[in-house]
Amino acid sequence: MLRFDEMQWVPQPIKDSKPQAVTTLAPGESGDAGVSLSAADGSGEWSTTGHKPTVGFQCRTPHSDGGPSALPALPAKGVSYDSTLTVTYWLHDMDDALTY
């Protein structure tokens, strides 16, 4: 789950990025997800700037507590996103996550 600042909605996942099996990580392993901030063709509605992203996690059971959220740093000026903001599912490989 990704949110910027005090967003009142959750970006939808890119359906084509859904792996054949749920991506599970053992302690110490890492996974990657891609984020598409806006439509390249300008078709997105309203645009705003996000300054504080929050990435939430869950355990294997849906809606379960996956521990503390991650609070990644952004450039001081933030990032611009619009209504077309989407995310990939968690994947084991960064190159796969960034193909969507």
Side-chain angles (χ1 to χ4, degrees), residues 6-92:
E6 301 298 321
M7 284 174 77
Q8 298 298 311
W9 57 284
V10 177
Q12 293 300 303
I14 299 169
K15 294 184 189 303
D16 288 345
S17 71
K18 187 172 184 175
Q20 291 182 359
V22 174
T23 301
T24 57
L25 302 171
E29 288 185 320
S30 64
D32 295 285
V35 177
S36 177
L37 296 168
S38 59
D41 64 3
S43 63
E45 298 178 33
W46 55 263
S47 180
T48 191
T49 301
H51 296 279
K52 181 183 172 191
T54 301
V55 179
F57 305 97
Q58 73 177 38
C59 291
R60 291 181 185 212
T61 305
H63 308 292
S64 60
D65 180 13
S69 296
L71 305 171
L74 291 178
K77 65 179 184 173
V79 295
S80 178
Y81 66 92
D82 66 26
S83 63
T84 63
L85 173 67
T86 54
V87 297
T88 67
Y89 285 86
W90 286 103
L91 303 167
H92 283 284

